[in-house]
PDB file of all heavy atoms in Angstrom:
ATOM      1  N   ASP V 477      10.975   3.550 -25.381  1.00 93.00           N
ATOM      2  CA  ASP V 477       9.767   3.542 -26.223  1.00 93.00           C
ATOM      3  C   ASP V 477       9.053   4.865 -26.035  1.00 93.00           C
ATOM      4  O   ASP V 477       9.170   5.509 -24.978  1.00 93.00           O
ATOM      5  CB  ASP V 477       8.827   2.399 -25.834  1.00 93.00           C
ATOM      6  CG  ASP V 477       8.957   1.206 -26.773  1.00 93.00           C
ATOM      7  OD1 ASP V 477       8.669   1.374 -27.970  1.00 93.00           O
ATOM      8  OD2 ASP V 477       9.341   0.124 -26.294  1.00 93.00           O
ATOM      9  N   MET V 478       8.279   5.234 -27.058  1.00 93.00           N
ATOM     10  CA  MET V 478       7.540   6.495 -26.948  1.00 93.00           C
ATOM     11  C   MET V 478       6.383   6.494 -27.932  1.00 93.00           C
ATOM     12  O   MET V 478       6.482   5.945 -29.036  1.00 93.00           O
ATOM     13  CB  MET V 478       8.470   7.680 -27.238  1.00 93.00           C
ATOM     14  CG  MET V 478       7.786   9.039 -27.231  1.00 93.00           C
ATOM     15  SD  MET V 478       8.967  10.387 -27.514  1.00 93.00           S
ATOM     16  CE  MET V 478       7.831  11.780 -27.606  1.00 93.00           C
ATOM     17  N   ASP V 479       5.289   7.109 -27.512  1.00 93.00           N
ATOM     18  CA  ASP V 479       4.158   7.308 -28.420  1.00 93.00           C
ATOM     19  C   ASP V 479       3.460   8.606 -28.025  1.00 93.00           C
ATOM     20  O   ASP V 479       3.523   9.037 -26.869  1.00 93.00           O
ATOM     21  CB  ASP V 479       3.176   6.135 -28.357  1.00 93.00           C
ATOM     22  CG  ASP V 479       2.198   6.150 -29.528  1.00 93.00           C
ATOM     23  OD1 ASP V 479       2.512   6.792 -30.545  1.00 93.00           O
ATOM     24  OD2 ASP V 479       1.121   5.535 -29.426  1.00 93.00           O
ATOM     25  N   VAL V 480       2.819   9.208 -28.992  1.00 92.00           N
ATOM     26  CA  VAL V 480       2.082  10.450 -28.758  1.00 92.00           C
ATOM     27  C   VAL V 480       0.626  10.209 -29.101  1.00 92.00           C
ATOM     28  O   VAL V 480       0.300   9.774 -30.211  1.00 92.00           O
ATOM     29  CB  VAL V 480       2.639  11.606 -29.612  1.00 92.00           C
ATOM     30  CG1 VAL V 480       1.829  12.877 -29.370  1.00 92.00           C
ATOM     31  CG2 VAL V 480       4.104  11.840 -29.289  1.00 92.00           C
ATOM     32  N   GLY V 481      -0.244  10.467 -28.139  1.00 88.00           N
ATOM     33  CA  GLY V 481      -1.674  10.311 -28.361  1.00 88.00           C
ATOM     34  C   GLY V 481      -2.378  11.649 -28.318  1.00 88.00           C
ATOM     35  O   GLY V 481      -2.041  12.516 -27.501  1.00 88.00           O
ATOM     36  N   ARG V 482      -3.329  11.836 -29.212  1.00 79.00           N
ATOM     37  CA  ARG V 482      -4.096  13.083 -29.240  1.00 79.00           C
ATOM     38  C   ARG V 482      -5.463  12.855 -28.606  1.00 79.00           C
ATOM     39  O   ARG V 482      -5.995  11.755 -28.601  1.00 79.00           O
ATOM     40  CB  ARG V 482      -4.247  13.595 -30.672  1.00 79.00           C
ATOM     41  CG  ARG V 482      -2.950  14.110 -31.269  1.00 79.00           C
ATOM     42  CD  ARG V 482      -3.133  14.597 -32.693  1.00 79.00           C
ATOM     43  NE  ARG V 482      -1.971  15.323 -33.170  1.00 79.00           N
ATOM     44  CZ  ARG V 482      -0.867  14.745 -33.633  1.00 79.00           C
ATOM     45  NH1 ARG V 482      -0.811  13.428 -33.699  1.00 79.00           N
ATOM     46  NH2 ARG V 482       0.153  15.478 -34.029  1.00 79.00           N
ATOM     47  N   SER V 483      -6.007  13.936 -28.080  1.00 74.00           N
ATOM     48  CA  SER V 483      -7.324  13.876 -27.453  1.00 74.00           C
ATOM     49  C   SER V 483      -8.389  14.264 -28.462  1.00 74.00           C
ATOM     50  O   SER V 483      -8.205  15.190 -29.262  1.00 74.00           O
ATOM     51  CB  SER V 483      -7.384  14.821 -26.247  1.00 74.00           C
ATOM     52  OG  SER V 483      -8.703  14.912 -25.764  1.00 74.00           O
ATOM     53  N   ASP V 484      -9.511  13.533 -28.424  1.00 68.00           N
ATOM     54  CA  ASP V 484     -10.626  13.855 -29.318  1.00 68.00           C
ATOM     55  C   ASP V 484     -11.423  15.054 -28.820  1.00 68.00           C
ATOM     56  O   ASP V 484     -12.198  15.640 -29.571  1.00 68.00           O
ATOM     57  CB  ASP V 484     -11.573  12.649 -29.432  1.00 68.00           C
ATOM     58  CG  ASP V 484     -10.900  11.461 -30.093  1.00 68.00           C
ATOM     59  OD1 ASP V 484      -9.979  11.690 -30.896  1.00 68.00           O
ATOM     60  OD2 ASP V 484     -11.307  10.318 -29.792  1.00 68.00           O
ATOM     61  N   GLU V 485     -11.229  15.434 -27.556  1.00 67.00           N
ATOM     62  CA  GLU V 485     -12.088  16.445 -26.947  1.00 67.00           C
ATOM     63  C   GLU V 485     -11.399  17.787 -26.733  1.00 67.00           C
ATOM     64  O   GLU V 485     -12.054  18.796 -26.551  1.00 67.00           O
ATOM     65  CB  GLU V 485     -12.614  15.928 -25.599  1.00 67.00           C
ATOM     66  CG  GLU V 485     -13.420  14.642 -25.741  1.00 67.00           C
ATOM     67  CD  GLU V 485     -13.872  14.108 -24.399  1.00 67.00           C
ATOM     68  OE1 GLU V 485     -13.540  14.754 -23.380  1.00 67.00           O
ATOM     69  OE2 GLU V 485     -14.548  13.066 -24.381  1.00 67.00           O
ATOM     70  N   GLU V 486     -10.053  17.832 -26.725  1.00 70.00           N
ATOM     71  CA  GLU V 486      -9.362  19.089 -26.489  1.00 70.00           C
ATOM     72  C   GLU V 486      -8.076  19.118 -27.307  1.00 70.00           C
ATOM     73  O   GLU V 486      -7.585  18.093 -27.758  1.00 70.00           O
ATOM     74  CB  GLU V 486      -9.065  19.273 -24.998  1.00 70.00           C
ATOM     75  CG  GLU V 486      -8.403  18.068 -24.364  1.00 70.00           C
ATOM     76  CD  GLU V 486      -8.245  18.228 -22.868  1.00 70.00           C
ATOM     77  OE1 GLU V 486      -8.051  19.362 -22.409  1.00 70.00           O
ATOM     78  OE2 GLU V 486      -8.288  17.217 -22.155  1.00 70.00           O
ATOM     79  N   ALA V 487      -7.530  20.317 -27.470  1.00 77.00           N
ATOM     80  CA  ALA V 487      -6.346  20.495 -28.313  1.00 77.00           C
ATOM     81  C   ALA V 487      -5.071  20.193 -27.534  1.00 77.00           C
ATOM     82  O   ALA V 487      -4.173  21.033 -27.408  1.00 77.00           O
ATOM     83  CB  ALA V 487      -6.317  21.918 -28.861  1.00 77.00           C
ATOM     84  N   THR V 488      -5.003  18.993 -26.989  1.00 83.00           N
ATOM     85  CA  THR V 488      -3.812  18.581 -26.250  1.00 83.00           C
ATOM     86  C   THR V 488      -3.333  17.237 -26.772  1.00 83.00           C
ATOM     87  O   THR V 488      -4.073  16.512 -27.442  1.00 83.00           O
ATOM     88  CB  THR V 488      -4.093  18.455 -24.740  1.00 83.00           C
ATOM     89  OG1 THR V 488      -5.057  17.426 -24.523  1.00 83.00           O
ATOM     90  CG2 THR V 488      -4.596  19.767 -24.169  1.00 83.00           C
ATOM     91  N   ALA V 489      -2.099  16.943 -26.460  1.00 90.00           N
ATOM     92  CA  ALA V 489      -1.515  15.650 -26.788  1.00 90.00           C
ATOM     93  C   ALA V 489      -0.882  15.077 -25.535  1.00 90.00           C
ATOM     94  O   ALA V 489      -0.614  15.794 -24.566  1.00 90.00           O
ATOM     95  CB  ALA V 489      -0.483  15.792 -27.901  1.00 90.00           C
ATOM     96  N   LEU V 490      -0.651  13.775 -25.558  1.00 92.00           N
ATOM     97  CA  LEU V 490      -0.026  13.108 -24.416  1.00 92.00           C
ATOM     98  C   LEU V 490       1.154  12.289 -24.924  1.00 92.00           C
ATOM     99  O   LEU V 490       0.990  11.396 -25.752  1.00 92.00           O
ATOM    100  CB  LEU V 490      -1.013  12.190 -23.701  1.00 92.00           C
ATOM    101  CG  LEU V 490      -0.459  11.460 -22.479  1.00 92.00           C
ATOM    102  CD1 LEU V 490      -0.305  12.434 -21.316  1.00 92.00           C
ATOM    103  CD2 LEU V 490      -1.359  10.301 -22.085  1.00 92.00           C
ATOM    104  N   MET V 491       2.332  12.618 -24.422  1.00 92.00           N
ATOM    105  CA  MET V 491       3.513  11.814 -24.705  1.00 92.00           C
ATOM    106  C   MET V 491       3.657  10.768 -23.611  1.00 92.00           C
ATOM    107  O   MET V 491       3.692  11.106 -22.420  1.00 92.00           O
ATOM    108  CB  MET V 491       4.767  12.694 -24.739  1.00 92.00           C
ATOM    109  CG  MET V 491       4.982  13.445 -26.019  1.00 92.00           C
ATOM    110  SD  MET V 491       6.501  14.443 -25.938  1.00 92.00           S
ATOM    111  CE  MET V 491       5.804  16.013 -25.444  1.00 92.00           C
ATOM    112  N   VAL V 492       3.729   9.497 -23.996  1.00 95.00           N
ATOM    113  CA  VAL V 492       3.983   8.414 -23.060  1.00 95.00           C
ATOM    114  C   VAL V 492       5.362   7.858 -23.392  1.00 95.00           C
ATOM    115  O   VAL V 492       5.583   7.338 -24.490  1.00 95.00           O
ATOM    116  CB  VAL V 492       2.916   7.318 -23.152  1.00 95.00           C
ATOM    117  CG1 VAL V 492       3.224   6.193 -22.169  1.00 95.00           C
ATOM    118  CG2 VAL V 492       1.539   7.899 -22.868  1.00 95.00           C
ATOM    119  N   ILE V 493       6.294   7.997 -22.457  1.00 94.00           N
ATOM    120  CA  ILE V 493       7.699   7.674 -22.714  1.00 94.00           C
ATOM    121  C   ILE V 493       8.168   6.616 -21.730  1.00 94.00           C
ATOM    122  O   ILE V 493       8.028   6.780 -20.506  1.00 94.00           O
ATOM    123  CB  ILE V 493       8.579   8.932 -22.570  1.00 94.00           C
ATOM    124  CG1 ILE V 493       8.029  10.076 -23.440  1.00 94.00           C
ATOM    125  CG2 ILE V 493      10.026   8.623 -22.928  1.00 94.00           C
ATOM    126  CD1 ILE V 493       8.630  11.421 -23.113  1.00 94.00           C
ATOM    127  N   ALA V 494       8.702   5.526 -22.261  1.00 93.00           N
ATOM    128  CA  ALA V 494       9.360   4.520 -21.428  1.00 93.00           C
ATOM    129  C   ALA V 494      10.844   4.840 -21.429  1.00 93.00           C
ATOM    130  O   ALA V 494      11.479   4.919 -22.484  1.00 93.00           O
ATOM    131  CB  ALA V 494       9.115   3.120 -21.973  1.00 93.00           C
ATOM    132  N   THR V 495      11.419   5.052 -20.239  1.00 93.00           N
ATOM    133  CA  THR V 495      12.815   5.468 -20.132  1.00 93.00           C
ATOM    134  C   THR V 495      13.692   4.347 -19.584  1.00 93.00           C
ATOM    135  O   THR V 495      13.202   3.394 -18.973  1.00 93.00           O
ATOM    136  CB  THR V 495      12.949   6.707 -19.230  1.00 93.00           C
ATOM    137  OG1 THR V 495      12.462   6.398 -17.922  1.00 93.00           O
ATOM    138  CG2 THR V 495      12.160   7.860 -19.817  1.00 93.00           C
ATOM    139  N   SER V 496      14.989   4.497 -19.783  1.00 91.00           N
ATOM    140  CA  SER V 496      15.939   3.478 -19.366  1.00 91.00           C
ATOM    141  C   SER V 496      16.135   3.453 -17.858  1.00 91.00           C
ATOM    142  O   SER V 496      16.540   2.441 -17.291  1.00 91.00           O
ATOM    143  CB  SER V 496      17.298   3.721 -20.034  1.00 91.00           C
ATOM    144  OG  SER V 496      17.793   5.016 -19.695  1.00 91.00           O
ATOM    145  N   ARG V 497      15.850   4.581 -17.206  1.00 91.00           N
ATOM    146  CA  ARG V 497      15.999   4.657 -15.754  1.00 91.00           C
ATOM    147  C   ARG V 497      15.095   5.753 -15.228  1.00 91.00           C
ATOM    148  O   ARG V 497      14.452   6.471 -16.007  1.00 91.00           O
ATOM    149  CB  ARG V 497      17.456   4.943 -15.366  1.00 91.00           C
ATOM    150  CG  ARG V 497      18.012   6.279 -15.883  1.00 91.00           C
ATOM    151  CD  ARG V 497      19.471   6.423 -15.518  1.00 91.00           C
ATOM    152  NE  ARG V 497      20.053   7.674 -16.007  1.00 91.00           N
ATOM    153  CZ  ARG V 497      20.080   8.817 -15.314  1.00 91.00           C
ATOM    154  NH1 ARG V 497      19.523   8.861 -14.110  1.00 91.00           N
ATOM    155  NH2 ARG V 497      20.648   9.890 -15.823  1.00 91.00           N
ATOM    156  N   SER V 498      15.059   5.876 -13.916  1.00 91.00           N
ATOM    157  CA  SER V 498      14.230   6.898 -13.300  1.00 91.00           C
ATOM    158  C   SER V 498      14.724   8.285 -13.695  1.00 91.00           C
ATOM    159  O   SER V 498      15.926   8.530 -13.809  1.00 91.00           O
ATOM    160  CB  SER V 498      14.257   6.735 -11.778  1.00 91.00           C
ATOM    161  OG  SER V 498      13.434   7.697 -11.163  1.00 91.00           O
ATOM    162  N   LEU V 499      13.793   9.203 -13.882  1.00 91.00           N
ATOM    163  CA  LEU V 499      14.131  10.558 -14.303  1.00 91.00           C
ATOM    164  C   LEU V 499      14.611  11.371 -13.097  1.00 91.00           C
ATOM    165  O   LEU V 499      13.932  11.414 -12.072  1.00 91.00           O
ATOM    166  CB  LEU V 499      12.901  11.215 -14.929  1.00 91.00           C
ATOM    167  CG  LEU V 499      13.126  12.313 -15.963  1.00 91.00           C
ATOM    168  CD1 LEU V 499      13.933  11.787 -17.138  1.00 91.00           C
ATOM    169  CD2 LEU V 499      11.789  12.853 -16.443  1.00 91.00           C
ATOM    170  N   PRO V 500      15.782  12.012 -13.169  1.00 91.00           N
ATOM    171  CA  PRO V 500      16.246  12.852 -12.051  1.00 91.00           C
ATOM    172  C   PRO V 500      15.267  13.988 -11.761  1.00 91.00           C
ATOM    173  O   PRO V 500      14.569  14.466 -12.661  1.00 91.00           O
ATOM    174  CB  PRO V 500      17.593  13.392 -12.549  1.00 91.00           C
ATOM    175  CG  PRO V 500      18.019  12.451 -13.631  1.00 91.00           C
ATOM    176  CD  PRO V 500      16.752  11.974 -14.279  1.00 91.00           C
ATOM    177  N   ASP V 501      15.243  14.452 -10.525  1.00 91.00           N
ATOM    178  CA  ASP V 501      14.331  15.525 -10.123  1.00 91.00           C
ATOM    179  C   ASP V 501      14.547  16.782 -10.959  1.00 91.00           C
ATOM    180  O   ASP V 501      13.580  17.472 -11.320  1.00 91.00           O
ATOM    181  CB  ASP V 501      14.511  15.853  -8.636  1.00 91.00           C
ATOM    182  CG  ASP V 501      14.042  14.728  -7.730  1.00 91.00           C
ATOM    183  OD1 ASP V 501      13.284  13.865  -8.214  1.00 91.00           O
ATOM    184  OD2 ASP V 501      14.422  14.720  -6.547  1.00 91.00           O
ATOM    185  N   ALA V 502      15.794  17.075 -11.258  1.00 93.00           N
ATOM    186  CA  ALA V 502      16.073  18.279 -12.040  1.00 93.00           C
ATOM    187  C   ALA V 502      15.472  18.182 -13.436  1.00 93.00           C
ATOM    188  O   ALA V 502      14.972  19.181 -13.981  1.00 93.00           O
ATOM    189  CB  ALA V 502      17.587  18.495 -12.132  1.00 93.00           C
ATOM    190  N   ALA V 503      15.508  16.987 -14.020  1.00 93.00           N
ATOM    191  CA  ALA V 503      14.925  16.801 -15.351  1.00 93.00           C
ATOM    192  C   ALA V 503      13.408  16.926 -15.297  1.00 93.00           C
ATOM    193  O   ALA V 503      12.792  17.496 -16.204  1.00 93.00           O
ATOM    194  CB  ALA V 503      15.324  15.440 -15.917  1.00 93.00           C
TER     195      ALA V 503
END
Side-chain angles (χ1 to χ4, degrees):
D477 260 298
M478 177 178 175
D479 194 21
V480 179
R482 290 179 169 81
S483 171
D484 295 332
E485 300 177 0
E486 50 185 328
T488 63
L490 181 74
M491 280 180 264
V492 179
I493 307 166
T495 60
S496 58
R497 62 183 179 91
S498 181
L499 207 59
D501 292 342

